[in-house]
Amino acid sequence: MSRFDEIVSGYSNLVKSKLGLSSEQDEEIFVARRTICNACDFKSAMDRCLKCGCPLGAKTRSLDPATECPEKFW
Ligand code: SF4
């Protein structure tokens, strides 16, 4: 899966979250990642990861196995 596909998947899951359609297990993953990113020095003011350039709203919600924190924080 390309980075573009990962981001599209992440935004799709963001919409599911907003609509309350995500599973409780998936939401736990999203919240755990988001908590780590929010405290990370590599999070930009524009809510992007300064290491990979990805928008964090999508990146933290991509469930593709290839999606990972570039610093291995999650
Ligand atoms: S993906 Fe990793 S490096 Fe990037 S902001 Fe989140 S925790 Fe930091």
Side-chain angles (χ1 to χ4, degrees):
M1 183 176 265
S2 71
R3 181 181 293 185
F4 176 78
D5 291 335
E6 287 179 54
I7 297 306
V8 169
S9 169
Y11 277 126
S12 172
N13 287 331
L14 176 60
V15 171
K16 284 184 189 172
S17 288
K18 297 283 187 197
L19 296 175
L21 300 175
S22 296
S23 72
E24 192 172 319
Q25 181 180 7
D26 288 350
E27 285 298 329
E28 287 176 5
I29 292 170
F30 302 154
V31 169
R33 289 177 174 177
R34 193 70 233 200
T35 300
I36 294 168
C37 288
N38 283 346
C40 180
D41 289 342
F42 297 114
K43 176 185 175 292
S44 79
M46 298 297 288
D47 201 33
R48 285 183 175 266
C49 174
L50 294 173
K51 282 290 178 174
C52 63
C54 292
L56 291 171
K59 183 179 182 74
T60 55
R61 288 181 171 83
S62 171
L63 295 174
D64 184 87
T67 301
E68 62 181 10
C69 165
E71 292 294 304
K72 310 287 189 212
F73 293 147
W74 51 259

